[in-house]
Amino acid sequence: QDHVCSLPKVPFRGAPCSDAAGSQVPYATIMKQVNSSLSGVLWDEVQKAPFYEYKDSVGQLHQVWFDDPHSISLKAAYVKSRGLRGIGMWNGNSLDYSREAAAEQQTQAMWQALTP
């Protein structure tokens, strides 16, 4: 409701919340799944990040948050404007390095977004 999903509380090394409640999804999967999702790409202005919602085969609602070239470029520009020393991606090997034209374009755009 109102694009708010609750995560189960999973203790993680004393922290009040954990990413153990979720899982990592390869960027290639995200780019294919977002087009058939319930919501299409949604944007969170506070996080400056895209997300989408879908239902799995048993009808359970899921929410997937990710970075795209636009969100990465905003973060890279912020780093540069503050004179910080650098920026990195969480997991660049989750990008789609297949020889498909769309995949090559998406991967190239993600890497280019790191350098404002």
Side-chain angles (χ1 to χ4, degrees), residues 47-49 67 70-80 87:
Q47 300 297 321
K48 305 285 190 225
D67 275 309
H70 178 63
S71 63
I72 290 286
S73 67
L74 292 173
K75 292 168 185 165
Y78 178 84
V79 165
K80 186 175 182 178
I87 186 172

Side-chain angles (χ1 to χ4, degrees), residues 6-42:
S6 60
L7 293 174
K9 291 186 180 190
V10 179
F12 182 71
R13 299 181 190 164
C17 62
S18 167
D19 65 352
S23 61
Q24 184 172 310
V25 178
Y27 193 68
T29 302
I30 290 170
M31 290 296 95
K32 290 175 183 163
Q33 191 177 51
V34 72
N35 292 329
S36 61
S37 68
L38 293 172
S39 63
V41 176
L42 301 170

Side-chain angles (χ1 to χ4, degrees), residues 1 3-9 21-22 53 60-63 65:
Q1 185 178 19
H3 307 295
V4 176
C5 286
S6 60
L7 293 174
K9 291 186 180 190
E53 299 166 339
Q60 172 114 17
L61 183 66
H62 296 268
Q63 196 171 69
W65 288 76

Side-chain angles (χ1 to χ4, degrees), residues 22-114:
S23 61
Q24 184 172 310
V25 178
Y27 193 68
T29 302
I30 290 170
M31 290 296 95
K32 290 175 183 163
Q33 191 177 51
V34 72
N35 292 329
S36 61
S37 68
L38 293 172
S39 63
V41 176
L42 301 170
W43 181 261
D44 184 278
E45 191 57 38
V46 175
Q47 300 297 321
K48 305 285 190 225
F51 67 100
Y52 66 92
E53 299 166 339
Y54 74 95
K55 285 188 180 178
D56 63 20
S57 59
V58 295
Q60 172 114 17
L61 183 66
H62 296 268
Q63 196 171 69
V64 178
W65 288 76
F66 61 100
D67 275 309
D68 63 5
H70 178 63
S71 63
I72 290 286
S73 67
L74 292 173
K75 292 168 185 165
Y78 178 84
V79 165
K80 186 175 182 178
S81 73
R82 298 293 189 264
L84 301 174
R85 305 289 263 167
I87 186 172
M89 268 194 309
W90 170 252
N91 204 347
N93 65 348
S94 288
L95 296 173
D96 187 349
Y97 292 101
S98 69
R99 299 280 183 206
E100 295 177 24
E104 286 182 344
Q105 180 184 15
Q106 291 164 354
T107 297
Q108 182 179 19
M110 286 292 278
W111 284 111
Q112 286 176 341
L114 287 168

